[in-house]
Amino acid sequence: MFHENRSLQTESVSQSNSSEIVKQMQNDQILVATTPSDKVSEGYYLAAESNDSLKNSIKDLQNQSARFSNGFLRSTFKRKWGKDSIDKIMLNPSYITHGSQYEYAKNLSNANTLVYLQKHDNGTFYSSIYGQIRFNISSDGLVLGYTQSYLSDVRILREKSATISGSKALYNLYQYNEIPNNSKIDWEKLYYTKLLQNNQVYIPTWVIAFTTGDSSNIQVKRINAFTGSMLSSGNTKDAINSFSTN
């Protein structure tokens, strides 16, 4: 049985009246683009790993020049597609392997890169490395090619447990003094992210992205959706550190 790493558990932030916290955030000039949900949910401890399965699919791909290295399939299309055709391409295994197992991530995409994240029956994976497809888009809106990584052998390690709400995660992050004054919360999503850098265990995680002041640089923080404690943001920060707000 998988045992939770106790070093990541912290005492939950003391309960405060949510309206009082909202007022404090307003006083600190912290804006929230979308009101976070108070809905609680459930999730699992999952295990997943990256392997060479994409390498074996190269021979079946059409209209592209593809190569596989270090867990990534990199491909350039011979016939260029309009970006509006991507959803259709994703469903054709002759163009994209396992394409139906990914979903569009608007919050991670920009004019030059469209990002799709790998999904599972229990949620969506999010990391800087595995479980995503990044389409390269030209200035005139054509799909030039893509980079793909894939998580396989996804399995449940423990029975489902309750997760905290998005509002609770945001208030915890604020009370941990992790949101600077004059910040704007751009988005907050519940994803499956790595519990630790050096293992293959994924847990439900509230990923919160914000900008501060006049900067367009997006900062990313993670809250363990089981315990409400902070997680290192190292393996998610790189996922969007090249993006700026649109």
Side-chain angles (χ1 to χ4, degrees):
M1 178 183 294
F2 173 76
H3 295 281
E4 184 176 355
N5 187 307
R6 298 295 179 183
S7 66
L8 289 179
Q9 293 190 31
T10 62
E11 293 185 3
S12 60
V13 176
S14 60
Q15 292 294 324
S16 298
N17 184 280
S18 60
S19 60
E20 180 180 341
I21 297 176
V22 170
K23 184 177 181 180
Q24 292 172 356
M25 293 175 68
Q26 291 173 341
N27 290 339
D28 288 337
Q29 302 298 307
I30 296 173
L31 303 178
V32 181
T34 303
T35 303
S37 172
D38 292 327
K39 182 180 179 181
V40 297
S41 186
E42 295 177 321
Y44 297 88
Y45 284 83
L46 299 179
E49 58 187 43
S50 177
N51 57 29
D52 292 347
S53 62
L54 291 178
K55 181 178 181 179
N56 299 327
S57 70
I58 290 180
K59 64 182 184 301
D60 299 319
L61 296 176
Q62 300 177 6
N63 183 45
Q64 57 194 282
S65 174
R67 62 193 185 281
F68 182 87
S69 176
N70 298 322
F72 292 91
L73 188 153
R74 295 176 173 85
S75 183
T76 301
F77 285 122
K78 297 177 181 178
R79 171 191 170 190
K80 308 308 180 187
W81 306 88
K83 63 180 181 180
D84 293 339
S85 301
I86 289 182
D87 286 340
K88 183 178 180 180
I89 295 172
M90 291 286 288
L91 298 178
N92 190 332
S94 296
Y95 297 131
I96 304 292
T97 303
H98 306 306
S100 62
Q101 297 182 35
Y102 296 79
E103 63 182 14
Y104 177 55
K106 181 179 180 180
N107 54 306
L108 302 178
S109 301
N110 61 26
N112 301 315
T113 307
L114 298 185
V115 179
Y116 283 69
L117 298 180
Q118 189 175 338
K119 59 185 179 180
H120 183 260
D121 292 342
N122 300 298
T124 303
F125 292 100
Y126 172 49
S127 80
S128 62
I129 302 177
Y130 299 117
Q132 60 181 265
I133 301 176
R134 290 172 174 261
F135 289 97
N136 303 318
I137 309 300
S138 69
S139 58
D140 53 352
L142 296 179
V143 183
L144 303 178
Y146 64 92
T147 300
Q148 180 180 7
S149 55
Y150 182 71
L151 290 169
S152 62
D153 193 25
V154 179
R155 58 196 184 278
I156 296 173
L157 298 177
R158 183 186 290 185
E159 291 299 315
K160 62 184 176 182
S161 301
T163 60
I164 64 173
S165 67
S167 58
K168 174 63 175 173
L170 179 61
Y171 300 154
N172 279 15
L173 188 65
Y174 172 73
Q175 292 187 307
Y176 287 139
N177 294 318
E178 292 290 335
I179 307 176
N181 293 357
N182 301 304
S183 292
K184 178 185 176 183
I185 309 300
D186 294 296
W187 54 264
E188 180 181 22
K189 298 284 186 180
L190 184 62
Y191 289 122
Y192 274 87
T193 74
K194 272 191 175 183
L195 177 61
L196 294 172
Q197 292 278 0
N198 59 351
N199 68 21
Q200 300 301 320
V201 177
Y202 291 79
I203 64 169
T205 307
W206 283 105
V207 181
I208 301 172
F210 59 87
T211 52
T212 300
D214 295 328
S215 174
S216 61
N217 293 327
I218 299 176
Q219 299 183 61
V220 178
K221 302 292 182 179
R222 296 193 302 150
I223 294 290
N224 184 323
F226 285 138
T227 67
S229 60
M230 283 283 300
L231 293 173
S232 167
S233 295
N235 80 317
T236 56
K237 187 177 296 183
D238 290 341
I240 63 171
N241 65 2
S242 62
F243 297 160
S244 61
T245 54
N246 295 322

